[in-house]
Amino acid sequence: MIPLFKSAPAKRRAPKKSESLIARSFRWAAAVLALAILSASLFAPASTGAVGRAVHDALTGLLGPAAFLIPLWAAFVLLKVWRADEPGGLLTAGLGGALVLLGAATLGGVAGLAAGKAAWGGAVGTRLAQLSGGALGRFGPVSAALAALAVGA
């Protein structure tokens, strides 16, 4: 029987230049250390000193509670790159993570506007919620109540 679809011949790829083990180890150590410092400054700002408190205040002031998703997203990207052993898809992960953070901040902003607490969305989430018609404008009272429920009001 003759196959209808023939598979394309395998392309020969040039062998990858291998990176030294020491350079790769330093890169991973720096990434894990940065993730640990970011996580500690967000989840325990009192134990990270003035810089940790400044990072915590800046991120939560900008994104509200959605800032706590940043270490989870960064850990996911690091694990994905570590398992694949190549940094493919970082642009997609970066844009997707940014959109998730903005969506979470907007959700917090909608809930904050509905409950009268603008700090829930941070500066960005509150502004995005206002630009999209406000908590009761386009979203309606039911969506605003669901957003408040999701935030934990």
Side-chain angles (χ1 to χ4, degrees), residues 40-102:
S41 65
L42 277 173
F43 292 110
S47 64
T48 55
V51 174
R53 280 191 295 276
V55 168
H56 176 269
D57 292 342
L59 287 176
T60 54
L62 191 66
L63 296 171
F68 293 101
L69 295 175
I70 294 173
L72 298 174
W73 166 75
F76 168 75
V77 171
L78 280 177
L79 285 174
K80 183 178 182 262
V81 170
W82 180 62
R83 287 194 52 146
D85 202 26
E86 58 186 40
L90 286 180
L91 179 65
T92 305
L95 289 176
L99 289 176
V100 166
L101 286 173
L102 288 176

Side-chain angles (χ1 to χ4, degrees), residues 23-33 77-79 81-82 85:
R24 210 166 48 178
S25 298
F26 277 130
R27 187 180 71 220
W28 279 107
V32 169
L33 182 65
V77 171
L78 280 177
L79 285 174
V81 170
W82 180 62
D85 202 26

